[in-house]
Amino acid sequence: PGCTMFLWARYFTGSSAAAFIAGMLFQLLPARIFDGGHPFLHADYWLPMALLALHRLFVTGRLRYAVLLAGLLILQSFASIYLLIGVFILFSVYGVFLLWAHPRYRMVALGGAISAAAVVIGFASWLLMPYLDVREQWQLLAGRDTIFSPLGSLLPGDFAFPGWIFT
């Protein structure tokens, strides 16, 4: 994740030093370090590059970035079904912003983004359907109570503090 964040930050800042710091902060996110028992929750390796591909799609209107976006999100879909939910939210919000901020290639980029989403949804369905079928058939997660993190873990300085991600 640090390498992909380095590339993303270097594109937007133009500074290798700033990109190095961004990559290190993203790599050494406290939740990623302290929650080693759930690596699939922090396997956002391809997200910065996929965000960059989405950005470049809307800025340039070149459909090769839609192909790159689909490929990166397919790689990301190998990590976890849980991350795909967050990916959908993140990319939906950023996509709406890009639609508003870059009107020049709006229709081409929107078509490319929707096509990439369709490919990724199709692949993720094919990939994850056996897991969902087995989970349903064997009731793997049945009878389990939901465990929420204590509210104190969301405060500044604790491992689940949302500000780490924004940093």
Side-chain angles (χ1 to χ4, degrees), residues 5-7 14 18-19 27-28 38 41 44 48-49 56 60-61 66 100 104 107-108 122 126-127 140 158 164:
M5 180 55 77
F6 172 84
L7 294 172
Q27 176 68 37
L28 300 176
H38 300 99
L41 292 177
D44 47 6
M49 292 304 299
R56 295 293 297 157
T60 66
W100 172 77
R104 184 172 182 191
M107 296 315 290
V108 172
W126 172 80
L127 178 70
L140 292 176
D158 213 331
W164 293 118

mmCIF file of all heavy atoms in Angstrom, residues 5-7 14 18-19 27-28 38 41 44 48-49 56 60-61 66 100 104 107-108 122 126-127 140 158 164:
data_model
loop_
_atom_site.group_PDB
_atom_site.id
_atom_site.type_symbol
_atom_site.label_atom_id
_atom_site.label_comp_id
_atom_site.label_asym_id
_atom_site.label_seq_id
_atom_site.Cartn_x
_atom_site.Cartn_y
_atom_site.Cartn_z
ATOM 1 N N MET A 5 0.466 4.332 -2.746
ATOM 2 C CA MET A 5 0.181 5.673 -2.232
ATOM 3 C C MET A 5 1.290 6.648 -2.626
ATOM 4 O O MET A 5 1.026 7.819 -2.908
ATOM 5 C CB MET A 5 0.010 5.651 -0.717
ATOM 6 C CG MET A 5 -0.295 7.022 -0.135
ATOM 7 S SD MET A 5 -1.719 7.852 -0.854
ATOM 8 C CE MET A 5 -3.038 6.998 -0.063
ATOM 9 N N PHE A 6 2.527 6.169 -2.672
ATOM 10 C CA PHE A 6 3.636 7.008 -3.120
ATOM 11 C C PHE A 6 3.366 7.515 -4.541
ATOM 12 O O PHE A 6 3.505 8.704 -4.829
ATOM 13 C CB PHE A 6 4.956 6.229 -3.074
ATOM 14 C CG PHE A 6 6.099 6.953 -3.702
ATOM 15 C CD1 PHE A 6 6.815 7.894 -2.987
ATOM 16 C CD2 PHE A 6 6.469 6.706 -5.016
ATOM 17 C CE1 PHE A 6 7.872 8.583 -3.566
ATOM 18 C CE2 PHE A 6 7.512 7.377 -5.610
ATOM 19 C CZ PHE A 6 8.220 8.319 -4.884
ATOM 20 N N LEU A 7 2.960 6.619 -5.428
ATOM 21 C CA LEU A 7 2.696 7.011 -6.812
ATOM 22 C C LEU A 7 1.516 7.976 -6.907
ATOM 23 O O LEU A 7 1.550 8.944 -7.660
ATOM 24 C CB LEU A 7 2.461 5.776 -7.673
ATOM 25 C CG LEU A 7 3.668 4.862 -7.840
ATOM 26 C CD1 LEU A 7 3.261 3.577 -8.551
ATOM 27 C CD2 LEU A 7 4.787 5.562 -8.581
ATOM 28 N N GLY A 14 3.628 16.332 -7.021
ATOM 29 C CA GLY A 14 4.829 16.572 -7.809
ATOM 30 C C GLY A 14 6.102 16.468 -6.987
ATOM 31 O O GLY A 14 7.193 16.721 -7.481
ATOM 32 N N ALA A 18 7.273 14.487 -0.417
ATOM 33 C CA ALA A 18 5.912 14.462 0.125
ATOM 34 C C ALA A 18 5.253 13.113 -0.154
ATOM 35 O O ALA A 18 4.537 12.570 0.692
ATOM 36 C CB ALA A 18 5.082 15.594 -0.472
ATOM 37 N N ALA A 19 5.494 12.555 -1.318
ATOM 38 C CA ALA A 19 4.924 11.259 -1.668
ATOM 39 C C ALA A 19 5.489 10.154 -0.783
ATOM 40 O O ALA A 19 4.773 9.224 -0.407
ATOM 41 C CB ALA A 19 5.183 10.955 -3.143
ATOM 42 N N GLN A 27 1.192 3.281 4.748
ATOM 43 C CA GLN A 27 1.690 1.937 5.043
ATOM 44 C C GLN A 27 1.665 1.647 6.545
ATOM 45 O O GLN A 27 1.353 0.540 6.963
ATOM 46 C CB GLN A 27 3.117 1.782 4.518
ATOM 47 C CG GLN A 27 3.771 0.466 4.848
ATOM 48 C CD GLN A 27 3.138 -0.686 4.123
ATOM 49 O OE1 GLN A 27 2.736 -0.557 2.978
ATOM 50 N NE2 GLN A 27 3.037 -1.819 4.774
ATOM 51 N N LEU A 28 2.007 2.644 7.335
ATOM 52 C CA LEU A 28 2.131 2.450 8.772
ATOM 53 C C LEU A 28 0.903 2.929 9.538
ATOM 54 O O LEU A 28 0.995 3.319 10.691
ATOM 55 C CB LEU A 28 3.392 3.171 9.278
ATOM 56 C CG LEU A 28 4.698 2.683 8.649
ATOM 57 C CD1 LEU A 28 5.872 3.514 9.122
ATOM 58 C CD2 LEU A 28 4.922 1.207 8.935
ATOM 59 N N HIS A 38 -6.375 -9.537 11.100
ATOM 60 C CA HIS A 38 -7.370 -9.355 10.044
ATOM 61 C C HIS A 38 -6.747 -8.616 8.854
ATOM 62 O O HIS A 38 -7.171 -7.509 8.518
ATOM 63 C CB HIS A 38 -8.578 -8.562 10.562
ATOM 64 C CG HIS A 38 -9.270 -9.226 11.692
ATOM 65 N ND1 HIS A 38 -9.059 -8.866 13.003
ATOM 66 C CD2 HIS A 38 -10.154 -10.247 11.710
ATOM 67 C CE1 HIS A 38 -9.788 -9.624 13.784
ATOM 68 N NE2 HIS A 38 -10.466 -10.481 13.031
ATOM 69 N N LEU A 41 -8.871 -6.914 6.054
ATOM 70 C CA LEU A 41 -9.547 -5.637 6.279
ATOM 71 C C LEU A 41 -8.680 -4.449 5.889
ATOM 72 O O LEU A 41 -9.178 -3.352 5.699
ATOM 73 C CB LEU A 41 -9.953 -5.500 7.743
ATOM 74 C CG LEU A 41 -11.050 -6.435 8.220
ATOM 75 C CD1 LEU A 41 -11.312 -6.240 9.692
ATOM 76 C CD2 LEU A 41 -12.315 -6.241 7.411
ATOM 77 N N ASP A 44 -5.821 -2.795 1.200
ATOM 78 C CA ASP A 44 -6.187 -1.786 0.204
ATOM 79 C C ASP A 44 -4.993 -1.418 -0.669
ATOM 80 O O ASP A 44 -4.734 -0.267 -0.935
ATOM 81 C CB ASP A 44 -6.763 -0.552 0.886
ATOM 82 C CG ASP A 44 -5.922 -0.089 2.065
ATOM 83 O OD1 ASP A 44 -4.839 -0.656 2.295
ATOM 84 O OD2 ASP A 44 -6.359 0.832 2.757
ATOM 85 N N PRO A 48 -5.139 3.273 -4.085
ATOM 86 C CA PRO A 48 -4.608 4.564 -4.556
ATOM 87 C C PRO A 48 -4.401 4.601 -6.075
ATOM 88 O O PRO A 48 -4.721 5.602 -6.723
ATOM 89 C CB PRO A 48 -3.276 4.706 -3.805
ATOM 90 C CG PRO A 48 -3.466 3.897 -2.569
ATOM 91 C CD PRO A 48 -4.301 2.731 -2.999
ATOM 92 N N MET A 49 -3.893 3.515 -6.651
ATOM 93 C CA MET A 49 -3.682 3.493 -8.099
ATOM 94 C C MET A 49 -5.016 3.471 -8.845
ATOM 95 O O MET A 49 -5.152 4.078 -9.913
ATOM 96 C CB MET A 49 -2.834 2.294 -8.503
ATOM 97 C CG MET A 49 -1.400 2.380 -8.014
ATOM 98 S SD MET A 49 -0.552 3.879 -8.545
ATOM 99 C CE MET A 49 -0.612 3.693 -10.304
ATOM 100 N N ARG A 56 -7.543 10.080 -13.806
ATOM 101 C CA ARG A 56 -6.989 10.280 -15.157
ATOM 102 C C ARG A 56 -8.052 10.026 -16.231
ATOM 103 O O ARG A 56 -8.046 10.674 -17.272
ATOM 104 C CB ARG A 56 -5.787 9.371 -15.384
ATOM 105 C CG ARG A 56 -4.592 9.661 -14.493
ATOM 106 C CD ARG A 56 -3.943 10.982 -14.783
ATOM 107 N NE ARG A 56 -3.413 10.967 -16.139
ATOM 108 C CZ ARG A 56 -3.181 12.051 -16.864
ATOM 109 N NH1 ARG A 56 -3.419 13.237 -16.381
ATOM 110 N NH2 ARG A 56 -2.698 11.944 -18.080
ATOM 111 N N THR A 60 -8.493 13.137 -18.733
ATOM 112 C CA THR A 60 -8.021 12.996 -20.113
ATOM 113 C C THR A 60 -9.076 12.449 -21.063
ATOM 114 O O THR A 60 -8.980 12.656 -22.269
ATOM 115 C CB THR A 60 -6.802 12.067 -20.190
ATOM 116 O OG1 THR A 60 -7.189 10.737 -19.832
ATOM 117 C CG2 THR A 60 -5.686 12.545 -19.277
ATOM 118 N N GLY A 61 -10.047 11.709 -20.553
ATOM 119 C CA GLY A 61 -11.038 11.086 -21.411
ATOM 120 C C GLY A 61 -10.520 9.893 -22.182
ATOM 121 O O GLY A 61 -11.189 9.389 -23.081
ATOM 122 N N ALA A 66 -9.847 3.499 -18.210
ATOM 123 C CA ALA A 66 -10.970 2.669 -17.780
ATOM 124 C C ALA A 66 -10.533 1.208 -17.701
ATOM 125 O O ALA A 66 -10.910 0.481 -16.781
ATOM 126 C CB ALA A 66 -12.152 2.832 -18.730
ATOM 127 N N TRP A 100 -18.505 16.458 -11.646
ATOM 128 C CA TRP A 100 -18.746 17.885 -11.456
ATOM 129 C C TRP A 100 -17.509 18.707 -11.814
ATOM 130 O O TRP A 100 -17.610 19.748 -12.459
ATOM 131 C CB TRP A 100 -19.167 18.138 -10.013
ATOM 132 C CG TRP A 100 -19.263 19.579 -9.669
ATOM 133 C CD1 TRP A 100 -20.273 20.443 -10.015
ATOM 134 C CD2 TRP A 100 -18.317 20.335 -8.929
ATOM 135 N NE1 TRP A 100 -19.997 21.681 -9.528
ATOM 136 C CE2 TRP A 100 -18.793 21.641 -8.851
ATOM 137 C CE3 TRP A 100 -17.103 20.014 -8.323
ATOM 138 C CZ2 TRP A 100 -18.112 22.651 -8.193
ATOM 139 C CZ3 TRP A 100 -16.416 21.022 -7.668
ATOM 140 C CH2 TRP A 100 -16.921 22.317 -7.599
ATOM 141 N N ARG A 104 -15.307 18.379 -19.255
ATOM 142 C CA ARG A 104 -14.880 18.299 -20.656
ATOM 143 C C ARG A 104 -15.101 16.913 -21.267
ATOM 144 O O ARG A 104 -15.607 16.790 -22.372
ATOM 145 C CB ARG A 104 -13.415 18.698 -20.765
ATOM 146 C CG ARG A 104 -12.936 18.739 -22.184
ATOM 147 C CD ARG A 104 -11.555 19.309 -22.260
ATOM 148 N NE ARG A 104 -11.127 19.385 -23.659
ATOM 149 C CZ ARG A 104 -9.918 19.640 -24.026
ATOM 150 N NH1 ARG A 104 -8.994 19.892 -23.132
ATOM 151 N NH2 ARG A 104 -9.604 19.678 -25.294
ATOM 152 N N MET A 107 -18.980 12.612 -20.549
ATOM 153 C CA MET A 107 -19.742 11.469 -21.063
ATOM 154 C C MET A 107 -18.838 10.275 -21.393
ATOM 155 O O MET A 107 -19.182 9.126 -21.102
ATOM 156 C CB MET A 107 -20.554 11.878 -22.291
ATOM 157 C CG MET A 107 -21.621 12.926 -21.973
ATOM 158 S SD MET A 107 -22.587 12.597 -20.488
ATOM 159 C CE MET A 107 -23.548 11.214 -20.997
ATOM 160 N N VAL A 108 -17.681 10.551 -21.980
ATOM 161 C CA VAL A 108 -16.738 9.470 -22.298
ATOM 162 C C VAL A 108 -16.247 8.810 -21.013
ATOM 163 O O VAL A 108 -16.219 7.580 -20.892
ATOM 164 C CB VAL A 108 -15.551 10.008 -23.122
ATOM 165 C CG1 VAL A 108 -14.486 8.950 -23.286
ATOM 166 C CG2 VAL A 108 -16.027 10.524 -24.461
ATOM 167 N N GLY A 122 -18.955 -8.056 -12.415
ATOM 168 C CA GLY A 122 -19.053 -9.401 -12.984
ATOM 169 C C GLY A 122 -17.957 -10.315 -12.482
ATOM 170 O O GLY A 122 -18.211 -11.460 -12.089
ATOM 171 N N TRP A 126 -18.337 -13.588 -9.902
ATOM 172 C CA TRP A 126 -17.801 -14.904 -10.240
ATOM 173 C C TRP A 126 -16.830 -15.382 -9.156
ATOM 174 O O TRP A 126 -16.845 -16.545 -8.753
ATOM 175 C CB TRP A 126 -17.093 -14.842 -11.589
ATOM 176 C CG TRP A 126 -16.348 -16.083 -11.924
ATOM 177 C CD1 TRP A 126 -16.857 -17.243 -12.425
ATOM 178 C CD2 TRP A 126 -14.942 -16.314 -11.756
ATOM 179 N NE1 TRP A 126 -15.856 -18.170 -12.584
ATOM 180 C CE2 TRP A 126 -14.674 -17.622 -12.179
ATOM 181 C CE3 TRP A 126 -13.891 -15.518 -11.299
ATOM 182 C CZ2 TRP A 126 -13.394 -18.160 -12.145
ATOM 183 C CZ3 TRP A 126 -12.616 -16.057 -11.271
ATOM 184 C CH2 TRP A 126 -12.395 -17.373 -11.690
ATOM 185 N N LEU A 127 -15.987 -14.481 -8.664
ATOM 186 C CA LEU A 127 -14.969 -14.840 -7.681
ATOM 187 C C LEU A 127 -15.570 -15.141 -6.312
ATOM 188 O O LEU A 127 -15.166 -16.099 -5.650
ATOM 189 C CB LEU A 127 -13.948 -13.696 -7.555
ATOM 190 C CG LEU A 127 -12.840 -13.873 -6.532
ATOM 191 C CD1 LEU A 127 -11.879 -14.957 -6.997
ATOM 192 C CD2 LEU A 127 -12.101 -12.558 -6.326
ATOM 193 N N LEU A 140 -21.933 -20.673 8.075
ATOM 194 C CA LEU A 140 -20.653 -20.410 8.735
ATOM 195 C C LEU A 140 -20.709 -19.255 9.724
ATOM 196 O O LEU A 140 -20.045 -19.277 10.742
ATOM 197 C CB LEU A 140 -19.577 -20.134 7.684
ATOM 198 C CG LEU A 140 -19.181 -21.323 6.821
ATOM 199 C CD1 LEU A 140 -18.179 -20.898 5.772
ATOM 200 C CD2 LEU A 140 -18.605 -22.419 7.687
ATOM 201 N N ASP A 158 -6.134 6.861 19.182
ATOM 202 C CA ASP A 158 -6.387 5.430 19.293
ATOM 203 C C ASP A 158 -6.313 4.777 17.918
ATOM 204 O O ASP A 158 -6.305 5.437 16.897
ATOM 205 C CB ASP A 158 -7.741 5.167 19.942
ATOM 206 C CG ASP A 158 -7.737 3.891 20.781
ATOM 207 O OD1 ASP A 158 -6.958 2.973 20.450
ATOM 208 O OD2 ASP A 158 -8.498 3.812 21.757
ATOM 209 N N TRP A 164 -6.665 9.001 11.009
ATOM 210 C CA TRP A 164 -5.451 8.391 10.457
ATOM 211 C C TRP A 164 -5.578 8.231 8.945
ATOM 212 O O TRP A 164 -4.644 8.446 8.202
ATOM 213 C CB TRP A 164 -5.185 7.035 11.093
ATOM 214 C CG TRP A 164 -4.819 7.077 12.537
ATOM 215 C CD1 TRP A 164 -5.513 6.521 13.570
ATOM 216 C CD2 TRP A 164 -3.675 7.699 13.112
ATOM 217 N NE1 TRP A 164 -4.879 6.765 14.756
ATOM 218 C CE2 TRP A 164 -3.742 7.481 14.500
ATOM 219 C CE3 TRP A 164 -2.613 8.427 12.599
ATOM 220 C CZ2 TRP A 164 -2.791 7.973 15.378
ATOM 221 C CZ3 TRP A 164 -1.657 8.906 13.474
ATOM 222 C CH2 TRP A 164 -1.751 8.678 14.838
#
